[in-house]
Amino acid sequence: MFCRQLTWILASAAILAAIGAEPLKIRGTAFANWWRIGETVCFKGDRPIPESDRIRVKVTDVTGKPVFTGEVGGREFNEKGWRWLPPSPGYFEAEFFRSGSVNGDVAEQYRFRVYKQDRHTKKYSLAGDTQIPVTKHPFGVATPTRPVAEISPVFGMSPHFGRYRDFLPLSRLVGFRGIRVHYIDWAKLEKEKGVWNWKALDEFMKLAREYGYSEEDITLNLMGTPRWASTRPDATWINICIQEYKTVIPKQMEDWRNFIRAVMRRYPGVKKYELWNEPHLIGYSCFWSDSVENFVALLKAGYETVKAENPDAVVHLGGIGMRYLPFYRELLKLGGDRYYDVLPMHGSWVQMAPFRRMEKQFGRKSKPWLSSEWHAMLLRASFPWPSEPMQTRNMLCDFLNQVRQGAQEVDFFCIVNAPNFEKECLPWMKKFDPGSASHVSGLFRKTPFLAPRYQALAWHVLSDLVRGKLTVHDGFRFGDGKDQCGILLSSDAGELLIFWTEGEKPVRIDRELANIVAASVVCEADGRPVSRPAEMTLAPEFYYIARNPDRKLLAAAKGRGAEVLIPQGKALPLSHEMHGNYLPGKLFDAKLELTAAGRRAPRMALAEKVVCDASARAGEIAGFFSVALDRENFELYAELEDAVHHPVPGEAPWKGDSIQFAFDGGGKGLAGDRIEFVLTLDREGRAGVVKNFAAPLGGDLPERYTPANEPMRTAAVAGERRNGRTVYRLRLPVSELYPLTVPPNGTLRFSLLANNNDGSGRAYYREWASGIGGEKSPAEYGDLTVLQPARELLKGRPFRPFRQGADQRLAATANGYRVDAGAIGRKDAAGVAVSVGNLLPNASYRLTFRARGTAQLEVVSFAGAPRIDLVKRTSLKPEWQTFEAVLTLPEGRNAASLNFFAWEQPGVFFEVSDISLTPY
């Protein structure tokens, strides 16, 4: 991809060189190249051209398919410009070609420079400098945007405050309701104590009102300790994007309180305040470089100040993301949840389940949540770069996934790209500095002119079709291959069915789906109408919107209830809270009776109780399960104490007494990759198993494989009721788990639950791990690792310096080692290491140790390439801290080294003690 894009850029640059240093610049006459339907699109030059010259124009859609071609003479172009009346709404791109005195593309260029920061000096240096040519002029044609008050509250935005003169008028083209202003910089507002500069914020509030935004729909994100107030005033360097002195607690908390009071009193109509941005453990967020304890103190002071000024005001925690769970755990431990009303999330593809589970673990009540910085279309040099339609569809699914989980508001980040940083810059960024934090995330491009991206038109269409509360209903799958998908939405404006194909080639609409949308008004994502929906072809990567689909046909659809809100290839953060072991071998003999090894197999208890229907009466159940795996079969034994056995025959056996279990087939935590089963025992003692969901196979045709919801003839299953106990036994060929392939000794991502129904409904279930009974979320599954003999693997192993010849002092202590770093230079480290052998390839091992000191400690294993980061750089404390990590060996490796070190840190010390490595 990089080579193709670079070739195009170099070819365009050659055109620019040929036409001179000051080429003709062409601009649309409408603000941001955005016209209303019925208006004439017009582009003009920035200077006259010879009347004998001619301008040829080619208009295409987002795929490059020609929509219109035309030509205009020099005289007419000078007087009127090029003019065109679009036949429909949509996203378009215009290219201009000149002939006569100058021949070729009408192109212009802008300068793109990349600056790279030195990790040690914190200084930036120029890493790359180039010229980026632009030949295409994107423009949009859309329906009028409704007034702000008529737009659903779920459509919010999270722009950078400094770009308010751009984002306010641009946002009114798209259609948003709320504004989370990121961020109101205390250090700029009160640069000197008591000296306030309200100019920019006053202007923003005035313009926001003029564009129709109510102060009640504005959230002010407050942060940024001034240097005069900071506990670290000498930390003047920029940490990624912010001076570090701004990211710590103030010396006097009253200064923070005074800042909040001043803002609230100046803008009394604002009722929502987000206190700080992305706090994390030290070293994990550039916006907070202080302790969790100090953040809780800051949050407490801010919360109490806000409530004292206005008891009805709403306090938001500084937004956090999926990788912030360790911080959230510490926050809950310290009682920090008492000092906010709403939990804001940041990032994309947010999953609330791990946060809710952690709150439950600490006995805390869950707060309402919203997405205050949704990275809807953020791209970096290190990311894949999807097409505009594919990114639009992925962001639609992400948005609906958040709404389905109860997000009150989803704030789009952000409205317009940073100056001189557009999507075409990413190949150069990847070349110059692939690890840069710079990004492309705007609905509109900024350079060399304001213009919409395809996503801006799509978001305008969606926000225009929704009114009031948006509700996400069932998902659907259509067609023989089930690759045609749909999701039903409803709001005060009516129902919408959004549908698409997951295939890679154009496909004729499935007959069932065609009948559902035949009488509907259907459009593409950007508003382009579809003339005959029942005969349409679904293009890959695109989605379509049908208004008021046939509700009766939808209710009877065969694929109703399917999970379709799936990120395109993006892995989700995986939970590792639940862990168990499987037996390598067999639980049963040929008659499905437990062998001696099976009776000794590890037992995983079904401890967690989840209520489904509080009105359904049912007695208590308890139980356990054991698992075995070899190259041929997966075996499961489950035993439950259950006084009343009440199965429910039919298409929903999980509503009765039964076992559900599932595997993550892709290891990414995606619902569409799961393989899920239901194990039953009827009143006559006949056991059965159903595969009720199967991950896509692609083009593979595995043997001994049963598609979902078809009779399973490959499984051996038995069960019985005995003395108030229910027993299930299952042997399943591993081919039935396809596309899941588990290497010998590898880890299974697995979950299991037992349903309880005593006759009045599915009352509750008990589970091991999660992700089955409620939201389908393989990210919440647990880890099953191979059973190994319990032993200490480091016993008798000699420790050695991490780097031979490094300037350090290594001394043995009672239960470990102390490392004192000397004059450690660049690309050097002080540390201690140990090697261990006789390990199982693909198996997992638990590392535990204690550490203290002044260093920032890293723990890395080298078991082949790439290295395995067990503990990322962590600041140690004077008191002992306990660490735990899991080492999973790569395929074909039976040995590893453990390395504890401080990289490029002269003069520090650390101690490690009680180091243990055992089978996991």
Side-chain angles (χ1 to χ4, degrees):
M1 183 180 209
F2 172 72
C3 292
R4 292 199 301 272
Q5 288 184 305
L6 193 57
T7 300
W8 174 83
I9 288 171
L10 293 174
S12 298
I15 295 171
L16 286 168
I19 63 178
E22 293 294 332
L24 174 70
K25 294 180 180 180
I26 293 179
R27 294 290 183 269
T29 58
F31 172 68
N33 286 359
W34 188 285
W35 283 267
R36 289 185 178 184
I37 186 67
E39 293 179 340
T40 299
V41 172
C42 179
F43 282 84
K44 291 184 174 182
D46 68 337
R47 71 196 68 175
I49 62 174
E51 293 186 359
S52 59
D53 281 9
R54 301 194 66 78
I55 298 291
R56 184 168 58 87
V57 188
K58 180 174 74 172
V59 178
T60 60
D61 64 14
V62 71
T63 66
K65 179 181 176 182
V67 175
F68 171 84
T69 57
E71 192 170 297
V72 62
R75 179 176 180 179
E76 182 179 351
F77 185 74
N78 291 336
E79 293 177 353
K80 298 180 180 180
W82 169 74
R83 301 165 67 84
W84 178 58
L85 184 63
S88 72
Y91 170 86
F92 303 92
E93 294 176 350
E95 290 183 86
F96 297 89
F97 307 88
R98 183 177 174 185
S99 60
S101 62
V102 175
N103 296 298
D105 293 359
V106 179
E108 59 184 284
Q109 58 187 349
Y110 62 93
R111 189 176 187 181
F112 176 63
R113 288 178 286 188
V114 178
Y115 292 90
K116 192 171 185 178
Q117 187 180 37
D118 185 285
R119 178 182 291 184
H120 303 277
T121 66
K122 306 295 183 180
K123 293 181 179 180
Y124 282 87
S125 60
L126 186 66
D129 189 346
T130 189
Q131 296 288 332
I132 303 289
V134 176
T135 59
K136 295 182 179 181
H137 293 253
F139 65 94
V141 179
T143 57
T145 308
R146 288 185 284 113
V148 171
E150 295 181 11
I151 295 172
S152 170
V154 76
F155 291 96
M157 60 173 168
S158 178
H160 291 101
F161 172 65
R163 301 174 196 164
Y164 62 86
R165 292 188 184 93
D166 279 339
F167 76 69
L168 282 170
L170 292 173
S171 70
R172 288 301 299 131
L173 299 178
V174 179
F176 290 97
R177 176 68 172 269
I179 311 175
R180 179 251 187 179
V181 185
H182 171 65
Y183 55 95
I184 306 305
D185 191 342
W186 178 17
K188 289 183 178 179
L189 206 62
E190 192 184 9
K191 194 170 184 180
E192 299 177 29
K193 185 169 182 175
V195 179
W196 300 90
N197 181 0
W198 299 101
K199 182 179 178 181
L201 191 50
D202 281 350
E203 184 183 22
F204 161 75
M205 298 298 287
K206 178 177 179 292
L207 287 175
R209 287 190 294 269
E210 290 175 358
Y211 282 106
Y213 290 101
S214 165
E215 289 188 354
E216 292 186 355
D217 289 323
I218 293 175
T219 302
L220 296 182
N221 176 207
L222 307 179
M223 64 167 289
T225 306
R227 189 178 180 190
W228 59 263
S230 176
T231 49
R232 293 177 58 202
D234 295 333
T236 57
W237 55 84
I238 295 175
N239 185 358
I240 300 178
C241 63
I242 186 172
Q243 292 97 334
E244 191 153 317
Y245 65 76
K246 293 183 179 182
T247 65
V248 297
I249 199 169
K251 290 177 285 190
Q252 300 295 328
M253 197 64 76
E254 190 61 22
D255 293 328
W256 166 245
R257 294 189 184 98
N258 285 335
F259 163 58
I260 295 172
R261 290 188 195 105
V263 173
M264 294 186 71
R265 292 173 184 177
R266 193 168 186 90
Y267 311 109
V270 176
K271 301 294 193 299
K272 295 180 286 188
Y273 297 90
E274 183 175 339
L275 302 184
W276 223 262
N277 180 66
E278 298 181 358
H280 206 318
L281 305 179
I282 294 175
Y284 287 85
S285 172
C286 66
F287 295 106
W288 184 252
S289 304
D290 213 326
S291 66
V292 181
E293 290 83 357
N294 281 348
F295 179 78
V296 171
L298 184 88
L299 183 65
K300 178 177 184 291
Y303 179 84
E304 291 173 347
T305 303
V306 171
K307 294 298 183 179
E309 288 292 310
N310 183 352
D312 296 327
V314 179
V315 175
H316 297 184
L317 175 69
I320 58 177
M322 295 301 297
R323 296 189 300 273
Y324 290 62
L325 281 166
F327 166 83
Y328 196 55
R329 179 185 294 276
E330 297 304 311
L331 182 85
L332 293 176
K333 282 182 181 178
L334 295 168
D337 57 305
R338 291 176 290 177
Y339 307 120
Y340 60 88
D341 306 310
V342 175
L343 174 62
M345 301 300 296
H346 287 188
S348 59
W349 288 100
V350 169
Q351 300 292 331
M352 292 304 295
F355 292 90
R356 299 314 192 196
R357 187 172 62 249
M358 189 174 288
E359 291 158 356
K360 183 178 179 181
Q361 183 181 12
F362 283 93
R364 306 297 168 76
K365 183 179 179 181
S366 295
K367 305 284 181 77
W369 78 280
L370 53 77
S371 182
S372 72
E373 189 176 301
W374 174 38
H375 297 169
M377 46 193 293
L378 185 148
L379 295 177
R380 287 183 176 155
S382 57
F383 289 10
W385 308 325
S387 69
E388 301 289 88
M390 184 72 257
Q391 189 177 29
T392 305
R393 194 176 86 191
N394 197 47
M395 94 186 186
L396 169 84
C397 292
D398 185 358
F399 171 74
L400 297 179
N401 178 58
Q402 294 179 77
V403 175
R404 181 175 62 178
Q405 294 181 75
Q408 296 179 331
E409 179 179 322
V410 181
D411 294 332
F412 203 111
F413 176 87
C414 55
I415 303 304
V416 60
N417 285 336
N420 287 32
F421 203 101
E422 305 293 341
K423 190 176 180 181
E424 63 266 17
C425 300
L426 290 171
W428 294 99
M429 176 62 77
K430 188 172 184 177
K431 177 182 178 181
F432 295 142
D433 185 16
S436 171
S438 298
H439 58 262
V440 176
S441 58
L443 286 168
F444 291 81
R445 66 177 299 133
K446 172 70 174 176
T447 309
F449 42 73
L450 280 173
R453 295 174 65 185
Y454 178 81
Q455 294 89 332
L457 274 297
W459 221 240
H460 167 81
V461 170
L462 186 63
S463 76
D464 187 56
L465 292 175
V466 173
R467 300 199 180 192
K469 179 178 173 57
L470 174 63
T471 302
V472 180
H473 299 282
D474 285 333
F476 299 84
R477 288 190 177 271
F478 306 97
D480 294 337
K482 301 296 182 185
D483 59 354
Q484 295 186 34
C485 306
I487 187 80
L488 182 65
L489 315 178
S490 68
S491 72
D492 294 347
E495 292 186 330
L496 303 172
L497 181 69
I498 301 182
F499 58 98
W500 62 90
T501 175
E502 292 181 335
E504 298 180 357
K505 295 180 179 179
V507 62
R508 178 73 178 260
I509 188 171
D510 176 72
R511 181 176 298 178
E512 183 182 31
L513 176 56
N515 291 335
I516 290 169
V517 303
S520 301
V521 175
V522 178
C523 68
E524 297 182 19
D526 64 349
R528 200 180 306 262
V530 175
S531 58
R532 294 188 295 275
E535 303 172 20
M536 67 185 295
T537 295
L538 306 186
E541 302 190 345
F542 286 76
Y543 69 79
Y544 307 86
I545 306 175
R547 304 184 204 183
N548 299 313
D550 191 310
R551 199 68 172 84
K552 186 176 180 181
L553 293 179
L554 269 176
K558 299 175 185 177
R560 182 180 178 183
E563 176 56 79
V564 298
L565 301 181
I566 302 169
Q568 303 302 312
K570 180 178 179 181
L572 299 176
L574 303 181
S575 169
H576 298 286
E577 291 192 12
M578 296 299 296
H579 172 261
N581 295 114
Y582 64 83
L583 183 71
K586 298 184 183 298
L587 294 174
F588 307 120
D589 60 18
K591 297 181 180 180
L592 284 186
E593 296 294 333
L594 283 173
T595 63
R599 287 189 288 272
R600 296 192 300 269
R603 297 180 173 185
M604 277 68 74
L606 299 172
E608 186 72 15
K609 180 178 179 179
V610 180
V611 176
C612 304
D613 185 355
S615 66
R617 295 186 177 182
E620 288 297 318
I621 62 172
F624 68 90
F625 69 96
S626 299
V627 166
L629 181 69
D630 60 20
R631 293 187 176 183
E632 297 178 351
N633 296 302
F634 167 83
E635 295 184 342
L636 170 67
Y637 177 87
E639 185 172 319
L640 299 173
E641 293 181 17
D642 186 4
V644 179
H645 183 68
H646 183 81
V648 175
E651 296 182 355
W654 49 269
K655 292 184 177 180
D657 284 351
S658 57
I659 297 285
Q660 292 176 260
F661 62 98
F663 306 82
D664 184 354
K668 295 181 178 180
L670 305 182
D673 286 345
R674 74 188 191 279
I675 307 101
E676 187 173 321
F677 300 82
V678 182
L679 192 56
T680 60
L681 182 67
D682 67 17
R683 297 184 186 279
E684 287 70 42
R686 294 185 296 257
V689 62
V690 175
K691 183 189 296 182
N692 59 326
F693 191 91
L697 296 178
D700 295 333
L701 299 172
E703 294 183 8
R704 301 189 73 197
Y705 176 82
T706 307
N709 299 310
E710 292 189 11
M712 292 193 66
R713 298 183 174 87
T714 61
V717 58
E720 61 183 292
R721 286 280 296 168
R722 182 176 61 218
N723 300 325
R725 291 175 177 263
T726 309
V727 174
Y728 300 88
R729 303 183 184 90
L730 172 70
R731 176 182 295 130
L732 201 62
V734 292
S735 58
E736 290 287 7
L737 308 183
Y738 205 83
L740 174 66
T741 55
V742 183
N745 310 314
T747 297
L748 281 172
R749 293 285 298 166
F750 184 80
S751 184
L752 184 144
L753 64 81
N755 293 303
N756 190 23
N757 183 336
D758 283 359
S760 61
R762 185 192 187 203
Y764 65 88
Y765 55 85
R766 288 195 178 275
E767 63 181 7
W768 183 90
S770 190
I772 298 178
E775 178 186 353
K776 300 298 184 182
S777 177
E780 303 307 307
Y781 293 3
D783 296 316
L784 287 179
T785 57
V786 65
L787 178 66
Q788 301 182 62
R791 63 193 192 280
E792 175 50 61
L793 295 161
L794 297 182
K795 185 176 181 180
R797 297 281 179 178
F799 284 72
R800 63 182 185 276
F802 170 61
R803 285 268 179 108
Q804 295 294 335
D807 185 6
Q808 69 171 52
R809 187 168 62 253
L810 176 63
T813 61
N815 295 305
Y817 294 87
R818 175 177 172 127
V819 176
D820 289 87
I824 298 296
R826 291 177 61 83
K827 298 187 180 301
D828 202 3
V832 63
V834 62
S835 296
V836 58
N838 297 320
L839 306 178
L840 295 179
N842 306 308
S844 296
Y845 298 86
R846 185 195 306 270
L847 171 67
T848 59
F849 64 96
R850 297 191 304 145
R852 66 181 180 184
T854 60
Q856 291 183 319
L857 181 68
E858 296 178 66
V859 183
V860 170
S861 176
F862 295 103
R867 76 180 203 173
I868 302 170
D869 291 302
L870 298 175
V871 177
K872 292 187 177 180
R873 182 176 290 202
T874 301
S875 297
L876 298 179
K877 299 178 180 179
E879 60 272 19
W880 288 105
Q881 295 173 262
T882 299
F883 293 84
E884 180 176 323
V886 175
L887 168 64
T888 300
L889 258 66
E891 182 78 28
R893 299 285 180 173
N894 61 5
S897 65
L898 301 175
N899 306 273
F900 306 75
F901 59 87
W903 183 259
E904 299 180 343
Q905 298 171 54
V908 299
F909 85 94
F910 67 87
E911 293 181 69
V912 287
S913 179
D914 303 324
I915 307 170
S916 174
L917 186 70
T918 57
Y920 187 32

